[in-house]
Amino acid sequence: MDKRNRPALAYLLIGVTAAGRALLAVPEAVALQEVSLTVLAVVGYILLAGKGKLPLLLGVGQLILELLLCGAGQGGSWLWLEPALRAADLWMFWGTALLMLRHTGQNYKVMPAVAAVPLAVYSVAHFMPTMVSVASVCFVAFSVVMLWYAAMMLRAYNTARVK
């Protein structure tokens, strides 16, 4: 790959991040891994910053939320906010996926709509202790759909690399 091909590198980093986050497939006890993967995505968003700032802002927001979640997992003062922080983080991830698919010019209508359904159910069920199993299934479903997003970003990487 040509090292000066910044869009291709950005799409590769973002695609690898999406695949890594999707393969975590559990919302709890993975905050540190999410932080590492989100740093890769933020680097990709920085490489594309000349073409749009919103993905970068959402990526930085995700990074901040994930750092807070690292502290919440230790029983800090953020513990009671953990479900809301987790839901906000995932919605920001979904938002960046929508923006990046629009940016790459790919068909971006189906995947975000399909991903929004399990994410919405997860966001509600995550707050209810009796609905833990529903929340877990919805999180896994969301993760599987995000593998679709990862594949689309890797396709965008290949297209940018070949140009």
Side-chain angles (χ1 to χ4, degrees):
M1 179 177 90
D2 181 9
K3 293 180 175 128
R4 292 168 292 180
N5 192 342
R6 293 172 66 157
L9 179 59
Y11 300 148
L12 178 63
L13 290 172
I14 295 165
V16 167
T17 298
R21 286 197 63 165
L23 292 174
L24 292 175
V26 290
E28 289 80 24
V30 294
L32 190 57
Q33 293 89 339
E34 285 178 326
V35 168
S36 323
L37 290 166
T38 302
V39 167
L40 286 178
V42 168
V43 170
Y45 303 143
I46 288 170
L47 290 171
L48 296 171
K51 298 179 182 180
K53 304 270 189 262
L54 194 52
L56 178 59
L57 292 175
L58 287 173
V60 169
Q62 281 180 269
L63 193 56
I64 291 168
L65 287 174
E66 289 162 9
L67 289 170
L68 291 173
L69 284 165
C70 281
Q74 305 301 318
S77 60
W78 296 98
L79 184 60
W80 64 278
L81 273 176
E82 189 173 359
L85 294 174
R86 172 68 56 206
D89 176 47
L90 292 173
W91 279 106
M92 284 182 168
F93 181 47
W94 178 85
T96 55
L98 177 66
L99 292 169
M100 290 309 303
L101 289 173
R102 186 177 299 160
H103 174 74
T104 61
Q106 297 187 44
N107 182 2
Y108 62 88
K109 293 179 171 87
V110 176
M111 191 283 301
V114 171
V117 173
L119 183 55
V121 174
Y122 170 81
S123 297
V124 172
H126 189 59
F127 287 98
M128 300 176 207
T130 59
M131 302 288 286
V132 171
S133 60
V134 171
S136 296
V137 168
C138 288
F139 186 85
V140 170
F142 175 72
S143 296
V144 168
V145 175
M146 294 319 281
L147 281 173
W148 183 6
Y149 165 61
M152 293 174 88
M153 290 308 298
L154 293 175
R155 184 182 311 149
Y157 154 72
N158 193 41
T159 301
R161 183 184 58 84
V162 170
K163 284 185 178 178

